[in-house]
Amino acid sequence: MLQLAEQRGIAGLLRGEAKVSFGERFTVRLQLDQAARQKNLETIIELASRKGGDEVGNEPDPDWLSHYLKLAENIRHPAMQQFWANILSQEVLHPGHCSIQSLSCLRYMTQKDALLLQKASALGCHFGDDNLRLLLGYQYKTLLQGQRQQRLSLGRYRLPYAGLLQLSELGLLHQSELESGELSLTSPLTVILNTQPMTLHPQKKGVRLLYYRFTTVGNELARLITESTPTDYRRDLQDLLAPLGQLKL
């Protein structure tokens, strides 16, 4: 507690030092806070400049930049500072890459939240459009037993159900599990895991994929993270989908 007080210029109060007035303590605390915000901002901008290298960029939208700087100056954790630096470097190279809405969401994320998003991003795929999804498995119809399901547990790949709930509370993932439309028997479906395609050509009717879908903000932030698909997840997903027939890699 004393260390925390010293960082904000009020340690004298805890020590019982009466010589420093309330006004003086207030002034010192403001100066320390302003210096800390300045240091945070300088660190993030320096990291962003290293990330960009020699590539020629563009001037970000002034309103976006003003909002970004106001939020970034309060980011103190080194890992989160690196994340914010990545956002700035990407925005300079590709204006409009990250919306103000995404910045506002990111403001309330802790390092633990960012790690959860990183894990989810690594398991993400897309099919049919560019929306990122967490593919869980599939369901199908049988004559005798009706609807049946085959699925993976994402907890095996460091993304437990509690993590999914947390991502949902942050507005990064839709809470409800969804199902695709019925897969066509004549038009193969290509699932992209990271940049690796996997083509699925079902041999029976009634097959639907099961997944969670990222929100618009979740899509934007997840794409700022470079993370490879875990080998065991890709292998297990291939094994899970193989009985559907003609799985092409």
Side-chain angles (χ1 to χ4, degrees):
M1 187 61 70
L2 182 59
Q3 182 181 4
L4 183 64
E6 287 176 344
Q7 293 173 353
R8 284 156 179 79
I10 56 177
L13 179 65
L14 298 183
R15 297 193 186 100
E17 299 173 0
K19 293 181 179 180
V20 182
S21 69
F22 173 83
E24 290 171 327
R25 293 197 303 271
F26 177 74
T27 300
V28 171
R29 184 179 67 80
L30 285 183
Q31 291 174 342
L32 290 174
D33 283 347
Q34 290 172 354
R37 287 195 291 271
Q38 180 70 17
K39 182 179 180 180
N40 294 337
L41 202 53
E42 290 180 0
T43 299
I44 290 172
I45 291 176
E46 183 180 2
L47 290 171
S49 66
R50 295 176 185 173
K51 185 79 174 178
D54 297 328
E55 293 185 70
V56 178
N58 303 281
E59 181 72 23
D61 177 82
D63 291 333
W64 183 93
L65 186 59
S66 177
H67 194 76
Y68 173 90
L69 295 175
K70 184 177 180 180
L71 298 179
E73 67 181 8
N74 294 301
I75 306 301
R76 300 193 178 200
H77 195 286
M80 294 304 290
Q81 287 179 338
Q82 183 63 67
F83 195 8
W84 279 77
N86 292 345
I87 291 175
L88 181 57
S89 63
Q90 286 297 315
E91 190 67 22
V92 169
L93 294 174
H94 309 287
H97 195 77
C98 181
S99 66
I100 289 179
Q101 183 183 9
S102 294
L103 290 179
S104 299
C105 176
L106 185 58
R107 173 186 183 182
Y108 298 104
M109 287 176 60
T110 64
Q111 183 196 17
K112 183 178 179 181
D113 297 331
L115 287 174
L116 273 176
L117 179 60
Q118 184 178 28
K119 294 173 185 176
S121 176
L123 302 179
C125 69
H126 60 88
F127 52 87
D129 55 37
D130 291 332
N131 289 320
L132 203 59
R133 296 171 171 87
L134 292 174
L135 185 54
L136 306 172
Y138 64 93
Q139 67 180 25
Y140 58 98
K141 295 179 181 179
T142 64
L143 293 176
L144 299 179
Q145 297 174 312
Q147 290 283 5
R148 300 283 289 174
Q149 292 187 354
Q150 295 292 335
R151 59 171 60 221
L152 298 174
S153 171
L154 297 182
R156 295 182 56 187
Y157 317 101
R158 303 181 301 154
L159 188 61
Y161 184 67
L164 297 176
L165 290 179
Q166 180 65 15
L167 291 173
S168 177
E169 290 176 2
L170 289 167
L172 304 176
L173 196 70
H174 290 286
Q175 185 171 3
S176 301
E177 182 181 306
L178 303 174
E179 62 180 51
S180 70
E182 186 173 322
L183 301 191
S184 172
L185 298 180
T186 57
S187 301
L189 178 69
T190 299
V191 177
I192 307 295
L193 283 170
N194 202 337
T195 58
Q196 300 174 331
M198 183 168 57
T199 302
L200 181 62
H201 194 165
Q203 300 298 295
K204 54 186 176 183
K205 295 182 178 180
V207 176
R208 299 174 184 268
L209 299 180
L210 304 174
Y211 61 91
Y212 287 101
R213 186 163 66 88
F214 285 70
T215 64
T216 300
V217 172
N219 269 285
E220 285 189 7
L221 295 182
R223 288 193 172 99
L224 295 171
I225 301 173
T226 302
E227 186 76 6
S228 299
T229 303
T231 303
D232 54 347
Y233 173 70
R234 180 175 176 82
R235 181 189 62 244
D236 292 346
L237 188 61
Q238 290 171 357
D239 291 343
L240 182 79
L241 298 177
L244 295 181
Q246 293 190 17
L247 183 64
K248 298 179 181 180
L249 308 180

